[in-house]
Amino acid sequence: MCGIVGYINFDNNKPADFSVVRRMSDTLIHRGPDAEGFYVKNNVALGHRRLSILDLNTGGQPMFNYDKSIVVVFNGEIYNYVELREELRKLGYNFYTTSDTEVIIKSYEQWGVDCQQRFNGCWAFALWDERKQQLFLSRDRIGEKPLHYAVYNNSLVFGSEMKSLFAFGVPREVILEILEVYLVMTNIPEPHTFYKHIKKLQAGHCIVVKKGSVSELSYWDLPEI
């Protein structure tokens, strides 16, 4: 178990604040007690709390591509990363770690946001493409790994747990009507939460943020029976 946090200001002229993303990350120390890492540049901030499992020496995050134009923070595991790594090597890609995180980066370089179609695993990740000025959030097909987000104060904020969004400053405005749903269903269906501003990224969905526009897309669903 690891934890990811971050945000992007829609105003390109409003720089991200390291102290804010650090505060968000500190709420998830229980998810990743082994290490922490940050990326803060211009209007984007990403944070990662790591529980070291794979590639103990070179698997730290955030992880970058060769020219640091792409950066990712990732919670989960790509089960078929060895097979994907071999496929990408045949396409001419070089690898510098043995981690599944690097496979996500190279897969994105090759297939763009369609890379998530090729992953077999459980994941929640955030990938920033500096060249395209695009933030890409993805959650696995059945939602095993959590990812919450809010569009608040002219920013998109995300985190593995809601407490990291509260640390950003998202208000705790409760939706009392949701309590009735919870008592009937004993759960709160995605994308809803108890809080007005916070949503769960639905299983099998991704979010693309570009030029201040937020698009949530479905990339997978159960087949019709």
Side-chain angles (χ1 to χ4, degrees):
M1 181 171 68
C2 297
I4 64 172
V5 298
Y7 68 94
I8 178 171
N9 294 323
F10 298 146
D11 181 355
N12 293 336
N13 296 317
K14 182 180 180 182
D17 187 336
F18 173 77
S19 66
V20 172
V21 72
R22 179 66 181 269
R23 187 167 67 239
M24 295 171 67
S25 174
D26 285 347
T27 67
L28 302 183
I29 191 170
H30 58 286
R31 298 184 66 93
D34 294 332
E36 64 179 355
F38 301 95
Y39 170 86
V40 180
K41 187 174 180 180
N42 299 327
N43 60 322
V44 178
L46 306 176
H48 184 262
R49 297 291 324 191
R50 187 183 185 200
L51 179 65
S52 300
I53 298 175
L54 290 175
D55 195 0
L56 303 185
N57 295 323
T58 60
Q61 297 183 43
M63 186 174 287
F64 300 85
N65 67 338
Y66 71 99
D67 66 357
K68 296 193 173 182
S69 63
I70 293 172
V71 55
V72 69
V73 289
F74 163 54
N75 169 34
E77 186 175 355
I78 306 300
Y79 303 140
N80 62 332
Y81 79 99
V82 174
E83 294 85 348
L84 283 171
R85 187 171 60 202
E86 290 308 306
E87 181 179 357
L88 289 160
R89 275 180 173 153
K90 291 176 182 177
L91 293 170
Y93 290 88
N94 296 316
F95 287 82
Y96 306 99
T97 75
T98 58
S99 71
D100 49 356
T101 310
E102 189 178 12
V103 170
I104 293 175
I105 293 173
K106 296 296 197 300
S107 297
Y108 173 82
E109 289 182 305
Q110 178 65 28
W111 298 298
V113 297
D114 289 337
C115 66
Q116 59 198 335
Q117 301 279 9
R118 294 175 173 265
F119 298 150
N120 173 17
C122 55
W123 70 82
F125 67 77
L127 183 149
W128 170 246
D129 185 331
E130 187 172 13
R131 286 201 185 102
K132 292 184 178 179
Q133 292 290 291
Q134 175 177 283
L135 180 66
F136 170 38
L137 309 178
S138 177
R139 191 176 181 207
D140 63 75
R141 291 176 180 81
I142 61 171
E144 185 173 346
K145 295 299 179 182
L147 192 57
H148 300 82
Y149 73 96
V151 177
Y152 177 74
N153 198 23
N154 205 30
S155 302
L156 181 132
V157 192
F158 66 88
S160 297
E161 297 184 19
M162 287 187 283
K163 63 179 70 175
S164 60
L165 278 67
F166 297 141
F168 174 87
V170 177
R172 299 172 183 253
E173 294 185 35
V174 175
I175 306 173
L176 292 177
E177 292 80 2
I178 291 290
L179 180 59
E180 184 177 343
V181 175
Y182 177 77
L183 291 173
V184 171
M185 302 182 65
T186 69
N187 70 87
I188 301 174
E190 300 170 352
H192 306 289
T193 72
F194 267 123
Y195 299 96
K196 177 180 177 180
H197 298 282
I198 299 177
K199 294 183 179 180
K200 290 179 266 187
L201 180 57
Q202 298 181 75
H205 281 62
C206 68
I207 287 176
V208 176
V209 184
K210 191 171 184 178
K211 296 181 179 179
S213 174
V214 179
S215 301
E216 182 172 345
L217 310 168
S218 171
Y219 70 87
W220 183 85
D221 200 353
L222 286 170
E224 291 187 14
I225 301 175

